[in-house]
Amino acid sequence: MKILFATNNAHKLSEVQAVLGDAFELLTPRDCGVTEEIPETQPTLEGNALQKARYLHARTGLDCFADDTGLEVEALDGAPGVRSARYATDGHDFAANNRLLLQNLAGKQNRRARFRTVIALILGGEEHLFEGIVRGRIIEHETGDEGFGYDPLFRPEGFDRTFAQMTADEKNATSHRGRAVRQLAAFLHATEK
Ligand code: ITT
């Protein structure tokens, strides 16, 4: 089955394709002639995931899904949250975001945080939402070279390594996105029958 995934983030694309496996072939917006930036202006992850999926569905008429993810840090009242991509600057500057996060947590004892992914699926014109959460903590220094974004600073509960020190399969097995995508996959398999 072919399905359109509303992302321009190559890391996300490969993580999601790995979880969905060969039964699903992911198409990107570019594959479908959508080259402009997909709007993402809502105040919540749910709102943004729906906004991206609705935009692509309106542009292409195809079944599609979008993921919006935020890092929610307890001592920062849930920030950067929905602003995770644009925390330090307007762009997706991972290094600047990580520096600002460490700066804002300097001296704070409570390092608890969670990643939350919301997936919005539009299938046969109907909308469905899936959510995946992983809890963990923000460590003091960036550690590891794998993954992307805040991965070098996030150590999931039950592990002594950050997401950036894990293989893609290890990260997917516990991550927010892995959890949400497994629900999506189960739903798609169930509706295919
Ligand atoms: P698309 O909207 O094109 O899918 P994006 O990078 O903007 O890509 P999000 O809005 O969902 O994706 O994610 C916001 C930011 O959160 C992202 O830029 C990263 O900094 C961070 N992020 C998302 N998922 C992450 C992950 O699995 N590990 C580490 N950081 C992540």
PDB file of all heavy atoms in Angstrom, residues 5-9 12 15 40 52 67-71 81-86 92 94 97 115 117 147-152 163 171 175-177, ligand 1:
ATOM      1  N   PHE A   5       3.253  10.679   3.322  1.00  0.00           N
ATOM      2  CA  PHE A   5       3.653  11.143   4.656  1.00  0.00           C
ATOM      3  C   PHE A   5       4.073  12.607   4.539  1.00  0.00           C
ATOM      4  O   PHE A   5       5.030  12.928   3.828  1.00  0.00           O
ATOM      5  CB  PHE A   5       4.799  10.269   5.177  1.00  0.00           C
ATOM      6  CG  PHE A   5       5.336  10.641   6.539  1.00  0.00           C
ATOM      7  CD1 PHE A   5       4.569  11.329   7.471  1.00  0.00           C
ATOM      8  CD2 PHE A   5       6.626  10.277   6.903  1.00  0.00           C
ATOM      9  CE1 PHE A   5       5.066  11.661   8.724  1.00  0.00           C
ATOM     10  CE2 PHE A   5       7.137  10.597   8.160  1.00  0.00           C
ATOM     11  CZ  PHE A   5       6.354  11.294   9.065  1.00  0.00           C
ATOM     12  N   ALA A   6       3.383  13.473   5.268  1.00  0.00           N
ATOM     13  CA  ALA A   6       3.584  14.922   5.160  1.00  0.00           C
ATOM     14  C   ALA A   6       4.807  15.373   5.944  1.00  0.00           C
ATOM     15  O   ALA A   6       4.668  16.023   6.971  1.00  0.00           O
ATOM     16  CB  ALA A   6       2.351  15.659   5.682  1.00  0.00           C
ATOM     17  N   THR A   7       5.990  15.021   5.462  1.00  0.00           N
ATOM     18  CA  THR A   7       7.182  15.497   6.164  1.00  0.00           C
ATOM     19  C   THR A   7       8.251  15.911   5.175  1.00  0.00           C
ATOM     20  O   THR A   7       8.323  15.389   4.064  1.00  0.00           O
ATOM     21  CB  THR A   7       7.753  14.431   7.120  1.00  0.00           C
ATOM     22  OG1 THR A   7       8.791  15.037   7.905  1.00  0.00           O
ATOM     23  CG2 THR A   7       8.346  13.243   6.379  1.00  0.00           C
ATOM     24  N   ASN A   8       9.090  16.860   5.625  1.00  0.00           N
ATOM     25  CA  ASN A   8      10.283  17.222   4.862  1.00  0.00           C
ATOM     26  C   ASN A   8      11.522  16.821   5.646  1.00  0.00           C
ATOM     27  O   ASN A   8      12.632  17.203   5.303  1.00  0.00           O
ATOM     28  CB  ASN A   8      10.299  18.736   4.596  1.00  0.00           C
ATOM     29  CG  ASN A   8       9.202  19.115   3.626  1.00  0.00           C
ATOM     30  OD1 ASN A   8       9.063  18.492   2.576  1.00  0.00           O
ATOM     31  ND2 ASN A   8       8.402  20.107   3.991  1.00  0.00           N
ATOM     32  N   ASN A   9      11.328  16.054   6.702  1.00  0.00           N
ATOM     33  CA  ASN A   9      12.436  15.673   7.580  1.00  0.00           C
ATOM     34  C   ASN A   9      12.859  14.236   7.230  1.00  0.00           C
ATOM     35  O   ASN A   9      12.124  13.275   7.473  1.00  0.00           O
ATOM     36  CB  ASN A   9      11.922  15.797   9.035  1.00  0.00           C
ATOM     37  CG  ASN A   9      12.963  15.414  10.068  1.00  0.00           C
ATOM     38  OD1 ASN A   9      13.760  14.521   9.839  1.00  0.00           O
ATOM     39  ND2 ASN A   9      12.926  16.074  11.205  1.00  0.00           N
ATOM     40  N   LYS A  12      12.953  11.593  10.041  1.00  0.00           N
ATOM     41  CA  LYS A  12      11.625  11.072  10.389  1.00  0.00           C
ATOM     42  C   LYS A  12      11.175  10.039   9.367  1.00  0.00           C
ATOM     43  O   LYS A  12      10.646   8.995   9.719  1.00  0.00           O
ATOM     44  CB  LYS A  12      10.596  12.201  10.328  1.00  0.00           C
ATOM     45  CG  LYS A  12      10.385  12.973  11.564  1.00  0.00           C
ATOM     46  CD  LYS A  12       9.161  13.851  11.301  1.00  0.00           C
ATOM     47  CE  LYS A  12       8.881  14.789  12.400  1.00  0.00           C
ATOM     48  NZ  LYS A  12       7.709  15.633  12.112  1.00  0.00           N
ATOM     49  N   GLU A  15      12.838   6.750   9.918  1.00  0.00           N
ATOM     50  CA  GLU A  15      12.349   6.097  11.145  1.00  0.00           C
ATOM     51  C   GLU A  15      10.964   5.488  10.908  1.00  0.00           C
ATOM     52  O   GLU A  15      10.688   4.354  11.302  1.00  0.00           O
ATOM     53  CB  GLU A  15      12.261   7.110  12.297  1.00  0.00           C
ATOM     54  CG  GLU A  15      13.608   7.486  12.895  1.00  0.00           C
ATOM     55  CD  GLU A  15      13.483   8.392  14.129  1.00  0.00           C
ATOM     56  OE1 GLU A  15      12.377   8.558  14.684  1.00  0.00           O
ATOM     57  OE2 GLU A  15      14.515   8.939  14.521  1.00  0.00           O
ATOM     58  N   GLU A  40       2.252  25.065   9.295  1.00  0.00           N
ATOM     59  CA  GLU A  40       2.304  24.417  10.622  1.00  0.00           C
ATOM     60  C   GLU A  40       2.205  25.548  11.640  1.00  0.00           C
ATOM     61  O   GLU A  40       3.199  25.947  12.215  1.00  0.00           O
ATOM     62  CB  GLU A  40       3.673  23.725  10.713  1.00  0.00           C
ATOM     63  CG  GLU A  40       3.775  22.618  11.700  1.00  0.00           C
ATOM     64  CD  GLU A  40       5.146  21.913  11.614  1.00  0.00           C
ATOM     65  OE1 GLU A  40       5.770  21.916  10.537  1.00  0.00           O
ATOM     66  OE2 GLU A  40       5.574  21.383  12.645  1.00  0.00           O
ATOM     67  N   LYS A  52      -1.247  19.812   8.836  1.00  0.00           N
ATOM     68  CA  LYS A  52      -0.358  19.321   7.776  1.00  0.00           C
ATOM     69  C   LYS A  52      -1.074  18.257   6.936  1.00  0.00           C
ATOM     70  O   LYS A  52      -0.994  18.261   5.712  1.00  0.00           O
ATOM     71  CB  LYS A  52       0.932  18.739   8.385  1.00  0.00           C
ATOM     72  CG  LYS A  52       1.852  19.793   8.993  1.00  0.00           C
ATOM     73  CD  LYS A  52       3.240  19.242   9.297  1.00  0.00           C
ATOM     74  CE  LYS A  52       3.400  18.720  10.695  1.00  0.00           C
ATOM     75  NZ  LYS A  52       4.780  18.326  11.022  1.00  0.00           N
ATOM     76  N   ASP A  67       3.013  13.844  11.119  1.00  0.00           N
ATOM     77  CA  ASP A  67       3.404  13.699  12.526  1.00  0.00           C
ATOM     78  C   ASP A  67       3.853  15.049  13.033  1.00  0.00           C
ATOM     79  O   ASP A  67       4.530  15.773  12.320  1.00  0.00           O
ATOM     80  CB  ASP A  67       4.473  12.600  12.597  1.00  0.00           C
ATOM     81  CG  ASP A  67       5.760  12.916  13.355  1.00  0.00           C
ATOM     82  OD1 ASP A  67       6.061  14.089  13.601  1.00  0.00           O
ATOM     83  OD2 ASP A  67       6.485  11.972  13.682  1.00  0.00           O
ATOM     84  N   ASP A  68       3.442  15.431  14.220  1.00  0.00           N
ATOM     85  CA  ASP A  68       4.053  16.591  14.871  1.00  0.00           C
ATOM     86  C   ASP A  68       4.556  16.131  16.229  1.00  0.00           C
ATOM     87  O   ASP A  68       3.865  15.390  16.938  1.00  0.00           O
ATOM     88  CB  ASP A  68       3.065  17.745  15.015  1.00  0.00           C
ATOM     89  CG  ASP A  68       3.803  19.068  15.224  1.00  0.00           C
ATOM     90  OD1 ASP A  68       4.893  19.237  14.649  1.00  0.00           O
ATOM     91  OD2 ASP A  68       3.314  19.925  15.969  1.00  0.00           O
ATOM     92  N   THR A  69       5.767  16.550  16.539  1.00  0.00           N
ATOM     93  CA  THR A  69       6.427  16.068  17.751  1.00  0.00           C
ATOM     94  C   THR A  69       6.936  17.234  18.572  1.00  0.00           C
ATOM     95  O   THR A  69       7.417  18.218  18.014  1.00  0.00           O
ATOM     96  CB  THR A  69       7.611  15.151  17.362  1.00  0.00           C
ATOM     97  OG1 THR A  69       7.104  14.004  16.704  1.00  0.00           O
ATOM     98  CG2 THR A  69       8.407  14.718  18.590  1.00  0.00           C
ATOM     99  N   GLY A  70       6.851  17.111  19.884  1.00  0.00           N
ATOM    100  CA  GLY A  70       7.420  18.128  20.753  1.00  0.00           C
ATOM    101  C   GLY A  70       8.159  17.494  21.911  1.00  0.00           C
ATOM    102  O   GLY A  70       7.817  16.394  22.364  1.00  0.00           O
ATOM    103  N   LEU A  71       9.185  18.195  22.381  1.00  0.00           N
ATOM    104  CA  LEU A  71       9.875  17.806  23.605  1.00  0.00           C
ATOM    105  C   LEU A  71       9.283  18.653  24.727  1.00  0.00           C
ATOM    106  O   LEU A  71       9.298  19.892  24.635  1.00  0.00           O
ATOM    107  CB  LEU A  71      11.376  18.080  23.470  1.00  0.00           C
ATOM    108  CG  LEU A  71      12.190  17.831  24.738  1.00  0.00           C
ATOM    109  CD1 LEU A  71      12.252  16.330  25.052  1.00  0.00           C
ATOM    110  CD2 LEU A  71      13.609  18.385  24.589  1.00  0.00           C
ATOM    111  N   GLY A  81       8.022  22.165  23.686  1.00  0.00           N
ATOM    112  CA  GLY A  81       6.700  21.730  23.248  1.00  0.00           C
ATOM    113  C   GLY A  81       6.448  21.930  21.755  1.00  0.00           C
ATOM    114  O   GLY A  81       7.265  21.533  20.929  1.00  0.00           O
ATOM    115  N   VAL A  82       5.335  22.586  21.470  1.00  0.00           N
ATOM    116  CA  VAL A  82       4.944  22.731  20.061  1.00  0.00           C
ATOM    117  C   VAL A  82       5.938  23.612  19.301  1.00  0.00           C
ATOM    118  O   VAL A  82       5.984  23.595  18.080  1.00  0.00           O
ATOM    119  CB  VAL A  82       3.493  23.269  19.971  1.00  0.00           C
ATOM    120  CG1 VAL A  82       3.417  24.731  20.365  1.00  0.00           C
ATOM    121  CG2 VAL A  82       2.891  23.030  18.589  1.00  0.00           C
ATOM    122  N   ARG A  83       6.786  24.342  20.033  1.00  0.00           N
ATOM    123  CA  ARG A  83       7.786  25.200  19.384  1.00  0.00           C
ATOM    124  C   ARG A  83       9.153  24.512  19.253  1.00  0.00           C
ATOM    125  O   ARG A  83      10.172  25.167  19.029  1.00  0.00           O
ATOM    126  CB  ARG A  83       7.950  26.510  20.164  1.00  0.00           C
ATOM    127  CG  ARG A  83       6.707  27.407  20.115  1.00  0.00           C
ATOM    128  CD  ARG A  83       6.992  28.814  20.637  1.00  0.00           C
ATOM    129  NE  ARG A  83       8.298  29.340  20.222  1.00  0.00           N
ATOM    130  CZ  ARG A  83       8.561  29.842  19.023  1.00  0.00           C
ATOM    131  NH1 ARG A  83       7.619  29.891  18.113  1.00  0.00           N
ATOM    132  NH2 ARG A  83       9.765  30.299  18.742  1.00  0.00           N
ATOM    133  N   SER A  84       9.180  23.191  19.382  1.00  0.00           N
ATOM    134  CA  SER A  84      10.467  22.476  19.432  1.00  0.00           C
ATOM    135  C   SER A  84      11.378  22.750  18.237  1.00  0.00           C
ATOM    136  O   SER A  84      12.587  22.859  18.391  1.00  0.00           O
ATOM    137  CB  SER A  84      10.235  20.966  19.556  1.00  0.00           C
ATOM    138  OG  SER A  84       9.710  20.681  20.837  1.00  0.00           O
ATOM    139  N   ALA A  85      10.794  22.864  17.030  1.00  0.00           N
ATOM    140  CA  ALA A  85      11.637  23.096  15.847  1.00  0.00           C
ATOM    141  C   ALA A  85      12.203  24.511  15.843  1.00  0.00           C
ATOM    142  O   ALA A  85      13.282  24.757  15.320  1.00  0.00           O
ATOM    143  CB  ALA A  85      10.840  22.864  14.569  1.00  0.00           C
ATOM    144  N   ARG A  86      11.444  25.437  16.428  1.00  0.00           N
ATOM    145  CA  ARG A  86      11.815  26.865  16.338  1.00  0.00           C
ATOM    146  C   ARG A  86      12.147  27.434  17.716  1.00  0.00           C
ATOM    147  O   ARG A  86      11.908  28.587  17.986  1.00  0.00           O
ATOM    148  CB  ARG A  86      10.650  27.664  15.714  1.00  0.00           C
ATOM    149  CG  ARG A  86      10.423  27.379  14.261  1.00  0.00           C
ATOM    150  CD  ARG A  86       9.012  27.700  13.823  1.00  0.00           C
ATOM    151  NE  ARG A  86       8.097  26.633  14.206  1.00  0.00           N
ATOM    152  CZ  ARG A  86       7.025  26.800  14.978  1.00  0.00           C
ATOM    153  NH1 ARG A  86       6.714  27.964  15.469  1.00  0.00           N
ATOM    154  NH2 ARG A  86       6.261  25.754  15.289  1.00  0.00           N
ATOM    155  N   HIS A  92      15.284  25.300  11.577  1.00  0.00           N
ATOM    156  CA  HIS A  92      15.439  24.036  12.300  1.00  0.00           C
ATOM    157  C   HIS A  92      16.913  23.902  12.688  1.00  0.00           C
ATOM    158  O   HIS A  92      17.631  23.056  12.163  1.00  0.00           O
ATOM    159  CB  HIS A  92      15.053  22.854  11.415  1.00  0.00           C
ATOM    160  CG  HIS A  92      13.593  22.745  11.167  1.00  0.00           C
ATOM    161  ND1 HIS A  92      12.876  23.670  10.457  1.00  0.00           N
ATOM    162  CD2 HIS A  92      12.705  21.805  11.536  1.00  0.00           C
ATOM    163  CE1 HIS A  92      11.607  23.297  10.412  1.00  0.00           C
ATOM    164  NE2 HIS A  92      11.474  22.176  11.059  1.00  0.00           N
ATOM    165  N   PHE A  94      19.232  22.558  14.989  1.00  0.00           N
ATOM    166  CA  PHE A  94      19.276  21.612  16.105  1.00  0.00           C
ATOM    167  C   PHE A  94      20.316  22.017  17.155  1.00  0.00           C
ATOM    168  O   PHE A  94      20.054  21.939  18.361  1.00  0.00           O
ATOM    169  CB  PHE A  94      19.610  20.196  15.604  1.00  0.00           C
ATOM    170  CG  PHE A  94      18.565  19.586  14.692  1.00  0.00           C
ATOM    171  CD1 PHE A  94      18.935  18.683  13.711  1.00  0.00           C
ATOM    172  CD2 PHE A  94      17.220  19.904  14.826  1.00  0.00           C
ATOM    173  CE1 PHE A  94      17.986  18.105  12.870  1.00  0.00           C
ATOM    174  CE2 PHE A  94      16.255  19.334  13.985  1.00  0.00           C
ATOM    175  CZ  PHE A  94      16.649  18.428  13.006  1.00  0.00           C
ATOM    176  N   ASN A  97      19.120  24.965  19.204  1.00  0.00           N
ATOM    177  CA  ASN A  97      18.030  24.535  20.099  1.00  0.00           C
ATOM    178  C   ASN A  97      18.590  23.802  21.311  1.00  0.00           C
ATOM    179  O   ASN A  97      18.155  24.023  22.450  1.00  0.00           O
ATOM    180  CB  ASN A  97      17.066  23.595  19.359  1.00  0.00           C
ATOM    181  CG  ASN A  97      16.190  24.334  18.355  1.00  0.00           C
ATOM    182  OD1 ASN A  97      16.027  25.545  18.434  1.00  0.00           O
ATOM    183  ND2 ASN A  97      15.631  23.598  17.418  1.00  0.00           N
ATOM    184  N   PHE A 115       9.059  13.149  25.252  1.00  0.00           N
ATOM    185  CA  PHE A 115       8.769  13.420  23.853  1.00  0.00           C
ATOM    186  C   PHE A 115       7.347  12.967  23.605  1.00  0.00           C
ATOM    187  O   PHE A 115       6.937  11.891  24.071  1.00  0.00           O
ATOM    188  CB  PHE A 115       9.663  12.591  22.924  1.00  0.00           C
ATOM    189  CG  PHE A 115      10.976  13.220  22.553  1.00  0.00           C
ATOM    190  CD1 PHE A 115      12.163  12.621  22.940  1.00  0.00           C
ATOM    191  CD2 PHE A 115      11.020  14.378  21.787  1.00  0.00           C
ATOM    192  CE1 PHE A 115      13.377  13.177  22.576  1.00  0.00           C
ATOM    193  CE2 PHE A 115      12.232  14.940  21.419  1.00  0.00           C
ATOM    194  CZ  PHE A 115      13.416  14.336  21.815  1.00  0.00           C
ATOM    195  N   THR A 117       4.586  12.499  20.348  1.00  0.00           N
ATOM    196  CA  THR A 117       4.278  12.551  18.916  1.00  0.00           C
ATOM    197  C   THR A 117       2.785  12.384  18.718  1.00  0.00           C
ATOM    198  O   THR A 117       2.186  11.486  19.317  1.00  0.00           O
ATOM    199  CB  THR A 117       4.987  11.391  18.163  1.00  0.00           C
ATOM    200  OG1 THR A 117       6.383  11.653  18.113  1.00  0.00           O
ATOM    201  CG2 THR A 117       4.474  11.254  16.735  1.00  0.00           C
ATOM    202  N   GLY A 147      20.588   9.713  15.223  1.00  0.00           N
ATOM    203  CA  GLY A 147      19.314  10.419  15.378  1.00  0.00           C
ATOM    204  C   GLY A 147      19.384  11.861  14.920  1.00  0.00           C
ATOM    205  O   GLY A 147      20.167  12.218  14.045  1.00  0.00           O
ATOM    206  N   PHE A 148      18.582  12.731  15.548  1.00  0.00           N
ATOM    207  CA  PHE A 148      18.521  14.137  15.147  1.00  0.00           C
ATOM    208  C   PHE A 148      17.915  14.949  16.291  1.00  0.00           C
ATOM    209  O   PHE A 148      17.524  14.401  17.324  1.00  0.00           O
ATOM    210  CB  PHE A 148      17.697  14.295  13.856  1.00  0.00           C
ATOM    211  CG  PHE A 148      16.227  13.995  14.021  1.00  0.00           C
ATOM    212  CD1 PHE A 148      15.294  15.027  14.162  1.00  0.00           C
ATOM    213  CD2 PHE A 148      15.769  12.690  14.032  1.00  0.00           C
ATOM    214  CE1 PHE A 148      13.937  14.762  14.302  1.00  0.00           C
ATOM    215  CE2 PHE A 148      14.410  12.405  14.180  1.00  0.00           C
ATOM    216  CZ  PHE A 148      13.501  13.447  14.315  1.00  0.00           C
ATOM    217  N   GLY A 149      17.844  16.256  16.065  1.00  0.00           N
ATOM    218  CA  GLY A 149      17.157  17.141  17.013  1.00  0.00           C
ATOM    219  C   GLY A 149      17.717  17.052  18.427  1.00  0.00           C
ATOM    220  O   GLY A 149      18.926  17.161  18.648  1.00  0.00           O
ATOM    221  N   TYR A 150      16.833  16.822  19.387  1.00  0.00           N
ATOM    222  CA  TYR A 150      17.228  16.799  20.804  1.00  0.00           C
ATOM    223  C   TYR A 150      17.756  15.432  21.243  1.00  0.00           C
ATOM    224  O   TYR A 150      18.032  15.245  22.432  1.00  0.00           O
ATOM    225  CB  TYR A 150      16.019  17.182  21.677  1.00  0.00           C
ATOM    226  CG  TYR A 150      15.484  18.576  21.396  1.00  0.00           C
ATOM    227  CD1 TYR A 150      14.411  18.776  20.531  1.00  0.00           C
ATOM    228  CD2 TYR A 150      16.060  19.702  21.986  1.00  0.00           C
ATOM    229  CE1 TYR A 150      13.919  20.044  20.265  1.00  0.00           C
ATOM    230  CE2 TYR A 150      15.579  20.977  21.726  1.00  0.00           C
ATOM    231  CZ  TYR A 150      14.510  21.137  20.859  1.00  0.00           C
ATOM    232  OH  TYR A 150      14.041  22.413  20.595  1.00  0.00           O
ATOM    233  N   ASP A 151      17.890  14.474  20.314  1.00  0.00           N
ATOM    234  CA  ASP A 151      18.311  13.114  20.694  1.00  0.00           C
ATOM    235  C   ASP A 151      19.592  13.064  21.544  1.00  0.00           C
ATOM    236  O   ASP A 151      19.657  12.268  22.488  1.00  0.00           O
ATOM    237  CB  ASP A 151      18.495  12.230  19.447  1.00  0.00           C
ATOM    238  CG  ASP A 151      17.170  11.742  18.885  1.00  0.00           C
ATOM    239  OD1 ASP A 151      16.155  11.823  19.596  1.00  0.00           O
ATOM    240  OD2 ASP A 151      17.153  11.269  17.733  1.00  0.00           O
ATOM    241  N   PRO A 152      20.618  13.898  21.254  1.00  0.00           N
ATOM    242  CA  PRO A 152      21.848  13.797  22.056  1.00  0.00           C
ATOM    243  C   PRO A 152      21.664  14.223  23.519  1.00  0.00           C
ATOM    244  O   PRO A 152      22.536  13.982  24.357  1.00  0.00           O
ATOM    245  CB  PRO A 152      22.826  14.754  21.355  1.00  0.00           C
ATOM    246  CG  PRO A 152      22.252  14.994  20.000  1.00  0.00           C
ATOM    247  CD  PRO A 152      20.761  14.864  20.146  1.00  0.00           C
ATOM    248  N   PHE A 163      19.114   8.812  23.080  1.00  0.00           N
ATOM    249  CA  PHE A 163      18.624   8.338  21.775  1.00  0.00           C
ATOM    250  C   PHE A 163      19.724   8.450  20.717  1.00  0.00           C
ATOM    251  O   PHE A 163      19.740   7.666  19.765  1.00  0.00           O
ATOM    252  CB  PHE A 163      17.403   9.153  21.330  1.00  0.00           C
ATOM    253  CG  PHE A 163      16.089   8.635  21.853  1.00  0.00           C
ATOM    254  CD1 PHE A 163      15.005   9.504  22.015  1.00  0.00           C
ATOM    255  CD2 PHE A 163      15.894   7.288  22.141  1.00  0.00           C
ATOM    256  CE1 PHE A 163      13.780   9.041  22.459  1.00  0.00           C
ATOM    257  CE2 PHE A 163      14.660   6.815  22.598  1.00  0.00           C
ATOM    258  CZ  PHE A 163      13.607   7.690  22.752  1.00  0.00           C
ATOM    259  N   LYS A 171      16.108   2.951  18.931  1.00  0.00           N
ATOM    260  CA  LYS A 171      15.318   4.163  19.210  1.00  0.00           C
ATOM    261  C   LYS A 171      13.844   3.903  18.894  1.00  0.00           C
ATOM    262  O   LYS A 171      12.967   4.191  19.704  1.00  0.00           O
ATOM    263  CB  LYS A 171      15.852   5.355  18.398  1.00  0.00           C
ATOM    264  CG  LYS A 171      15.042   6.625  18.643  1.00  0.00           C
ATOM    265  CD  LYS A 171      15.480   7.824  17.815  1.00  0.00           C
ATOM    266  CE  LYS A 171      14.468   8.961  17.955  1.00  0.00           C
ATOM    267  NZ  LYS A 171      14.701  10.085  17.046  1.00  0.00           N
ATOM    268  N   SER A 175      10.764   4.738  21.281  1.00  0.00           N
ATOM    269  CA  SER A 175      10.512   6.180  21.109  1.00  0.00           C
ATOM    270  C   SER A 175       9.033   6.523  20.950  1.00  0.00           C
ATOM    271  O   SER A 175       8.209   5.680  20.591  1.00  0.00           O
ATOM    272  CB  SER A 175      11.281   6.704  19.886  1.00  0.00           C
ATOM    273  OG  SER A 175      10.593   6.373  18.701  1.00  0.00           O
ATOM    274  N   HIS A 176       8.745   7.772  21.254  1.00  0.00           N
ATOM    275  CA  HIS A 176       7.466   8.429  20.986  1.00  0.00           C
ATOM    276  C   HIS A 176       6.965   8.107  19.573  1.00  0.00           C
ATOM    277  O   HIS A 176       5.847   7.666  19.375  1.00  0.00           O
ATOM    278  CB  HIS A 176       7.680   9.939  21.166  1.00  0.00           C
ATOM    279  CG  HIS A 176       8.954  10.440  20.505  1.00  0.00           C
ATOM    280  ND1 HIS A 176      10.186   9.958  20.845  1.00  0.00           N
ATOM    281  CD2 HIS A 176       9.178  11.313  19.489  1.00  0.00           C
ATOM    282  CE1 HIS A 176      11.104  10.528  20.087  1.00  0.00           C
ATOM    283  NE2 HIS A 176      10.526  11.351  19.250  1.00  0.00           N
ATOM    284  N   ARG A 177       7.843   8.350  18.552  1.00  0.00           N
ATOM    285  CA  ARG A 177       7.399   8.157  17.175  1.00  0.00           C
ATOM    286  C   ARG A 177       7.157   6.677  16.897  1.00  0.00           C
ATOM    287  O   ARG A 177       6.167   6.310  16.265  1.00  0.00           O
ATOM    288  CB  ARG A 177       8.428   8.740  16.194  1.00  0.00           C
ATOM    289  CG  ARG A 177       7.972   8.693  14.743  1.00  0.00           C
ATOM    290  CD  ARG A 177       8.822   9.552  13.822  1.00  0.00           C
ATOM    291  NE  ARG A 177       8.776  10.940  14.228  1.00  0.00           N
ATOM    292  CZ  ARG A 177       9.752  11.552  14.927  1.00  0.00           C
ATOM    293  NH1 ARG A 177      10.860  10.902  15.241  1.00  0.00           N
ATOM    294  NH2 ARG A 177       9.623  12.802  15.302  1.00  0.00           N
TER     295      ARG A 177
HETATM  296  P1  ITT B   1       8.231  18.086   9.485  1.00  0.00           P
HETATM  297  O1  ITT B   1       7.288  19.117  10.056  1.00  0.00           O
HETATM  298  O2  ITT B   1       8.639  18.378   8.074  1.00  0.00           O
HETATM  299  O3  ITT B   1       7.741  16.689   9.646  1.00  0.00           O
HETATM  300  P2  ITT B   1       9.990  18.912  11.653  1.00  0.00           P
HETATM  301  O4  ITT B   1      11.461  18.713  11.869  1.00  0.00           O
HETATM  302  O5  ITT B   1       9.463  20.313  11.631  1.00  0.00           O
HETATM  303  O6  ITT B   1       9.611  18.114  10.308  1.00  0.00           O
HETATM  304  P3  ITT B   1       8.351  18.418  14.012  1.00  0.00           P
HETATM  305  O7  ITT B   1       7.717  19.749  13.848  1.00  0.00           O
HETATM  306  O8  ITT B   1       7.481  17.248  14.281  1.00  0.00           O
HETATM  307  O9  ITT B   1       9.238  18.060  12.720  1.00  0.00           O
HETATM  308  O10 ITT B   1       9.428  18.386  15.150  1.00  0.00           O
HETATM  309  C1  ITT B   1       9.801  19.528  15.833  1.00  0.00           C
HETATM  310  C2  ITT B   1      11.202  19.429  16.320  1.00  0.00           C
HETATM  311  O11 ITT B   1      11.242  18.537  17.428  1.00  0.00           O
HETATM  312  C3  ITT B   1      12.226  18.893  15.319  1.00  0.00           C
HETATM  313  O12 ITT B   1      12.719  19.909  14.485  1.00  0.00           O
HETATM  314  C4  ITT B   1      13.292  18.376  16.272  1.00  0.00           C
HETATM  315  O13 ITT B   1      14.091  19.426  16.754  1.00  0.00           O
HETATM  316  C5  ITT B   1      12.448  17.852  17.445  1.00  0.00           C
HETATM  317  N1  ITT B   1      12.201  16.423  17.291  1.00  0.00           N
HETATM  318  C6  ITT B   1      11.133  15.834  16.692  1.00  0.00           C
HETATM  319  N2  ITT B   1      11.234  14.505  16.763  1.00  0.00           N
HETATM  320  C7  ITT B   1      12.402  14.236  17.404  1.00  0.00           C
HETATM  321  C8  ITT B   1      13.083  13.059  17.754  1.00  0.00           C
HETATM  322  O14 ITT B   1      12.606  11.855  17.458  1.00  0.00           O
HETATM  323  N3  ITT B   1      14.243  13.166  18.407  1.00  0.00           N
HETATM  324  C9  ITT B   1      14.762  14.367  18.711  1.00  0.00           C
HETATM  325  N4  ITT B   1      14.199  15.529  18.388  1.00  0.00           N
HETATM  326  C10 ITT B   1      13.012  15.475  17.745  1.00  0.00           C
END
